[in-house]
Amino acid sequence: MSRPFALVDAFVTERPWSGNPAGVCLLEAWPSDAWMQGVAAEMNQAETAFLVAEAGAFGLRWFTPSVEVDLCGHATLASAHWLWESGVIPATSPATFRSKSGVLTARQESGLVVLDFPAEAPQPGDAPGVGEALGVRPVWTGANRMDWFVVVGSQAEVEAAAPHMDAVRATGLRGVVLTARAAPGGPDYVSRFFAPQSGIDEDPVTGSAHCALGPYWSRVLGQDSLVGEQLSSRRGRVGTAVRGDRVLLRGAARTVTSGNMLVQPE
């Protein structure tokens, strides 16, 4: 039996072909890890999300083309958007997901998807070789359980960075986040995300990184609610609001294509 499948752009801006594409595959039961990894490699998107209905919620797992990851914001947003749009759940109902990072929820608000995620604030610390790998001079470095974080002095430095991907790959952890306060007249902060060690040289928009960027910049700027822009070639926009040990991520999504997965789960 074929299974429903969609490609959704998440955290989009007003321009077309923005945001981060994610595959979304709805299954009746969990197949083998090898099958899901094969589908993710075939789709060749930053992440493909796999969903299985589980007693009023959906089990949710995320795969890059080469590895499974513990948390992915944009593929979660894409999943919620597609479940509502396809009528799997009513548009007025929240979407609840059970994942390796605990229970995650999503709701619709003023045309945006609002995700309730764990806050993953980075802790200060030395990041040996990470600044050199990015070709920048950090003013602050730190890490959380997933990524390195490198803060520089200006948006221009974030835009001009030309990472040495082999050196980034050798830094360990899932990826490296480069960030700065935004230039006047724009969002509150900007970022880029590099993860060749996870099979993604530069991710277009990284929701899970904003689980750390939101708390970090909220502390620095003294505001609970902020807007971040990820300066990849596609660009993407993420609203963040810190709520204790949680962070709300806000973004828009567009379904690009949908159909059926014809390769049978194993």
Side-chain angles (χ1 to χ4, degrees):
M1 179 185 295
S2 62
R3 300 305 305 157
F5 187 88
L7 183 66
V8 178
D9 288 344
F11 294 118
V12 297
T13 66
E14 292 81 7
R15 73 181 192 180
W17 315 118
S18 61
N20 200 352
V24 181
C25 186
L26 180 61
L27 301 165
E28 292 184 339
W30 289 116
S32 68
D33 289 5
W35 186 87
M36 289 186 286
Q37 189 65 74
V39 171
E42 182 78 8
M43 294 308 300
N44 200 32
Q45 302 301 321
E47 267 90 10
T48 296
F50 297 90
L51 301 165
V52 173
E54 296 179 348
F58 290 87
L60 174 59
R61 295 174 68 180
W62 310 276
F63 286 78
T64 78
S66 58
V67 297
E68 184 176 8
V69 296
D70 289 342
L71 184 65
C72 178
H74 88 275
T76 305
L77 188 146
S79 297
H81 168 82
W82 185 73
L83 288 171
W84 290 316
E85 186 177 70
S86 62
V88 175
I89 58 177
T92 55
S93 297
T96 302
F97 303 102
R98 297 191 180 102
S99 76
K100 288 189 172 183
S101 290
V103 175
L104 310 173
T105 62
R107 68 178 190 273
Q108 298 195 75
E109 183 179 283
S110 302
L112 299 178
V113 180
V114 181
L115 304 176
D116 186 338
F117 268 38
E120 299 276 359
Q123 301 303 310
D126 292 334
V130 175
E132 292 85 347
L134 297 179
V136 300
R137 292 186 176 182
V139 299
W140 186 92
T141 61
N144 63 12
R145 67 186 177 95
M146 296 179 289
D147 304 310
W148 296 107
F149 290 81
V150 176
V151 181
V152 292
S154 69
Q155 177 173 330
E157 292 174 76
V158 174
E159 292 174 326
H164 306 286
M165 291 301 173
D166 286 343
V168 174
R169 188 177 292 107
T171 61
L173 296 182
R174 181 188 64 162
V176 178
V177 182
L178 177 63
T179 185
R181 188 169 184 172
D188 297 298
Y189 62 91
V190 296
S191 65
R192 294 171 69 187
F193 181 90
F194 308 101
Q197 56 269 55
S198 298
I200 311 159
D201 280 357
E202 181 167 2
D203 195 34
V205 196
T206 316
S208 59
H210 286 77
C211 293
L213 290 167
Y216 174 84
W217 285 111
S218 288
R219 179 179 59 80
V220 171
L221 300 177
Q223 297 175 242
D224 287 341
S225 297
L226 300 169
V227 175
E229 188 156 321
Q230 198 154 324
L231 304 180
S232 64
S233 59
R234 291 178 64 97
R235 299 269 177 150
R237 191 172 301 130
V238 184
T240 59
V242 178
R243 300 289 185 266
D245 62 354
R246 309 291 293 181
V247 59
L248 304 181
L249 306 179
R250 289 181 170 85
R254 299 188 193 100
T255 301
V256 176
T257 187
S258 62
N260 292 293
M261 179 69 63
L262 299 180
V263 178
Q264 295 301 306
E266 299 170 351

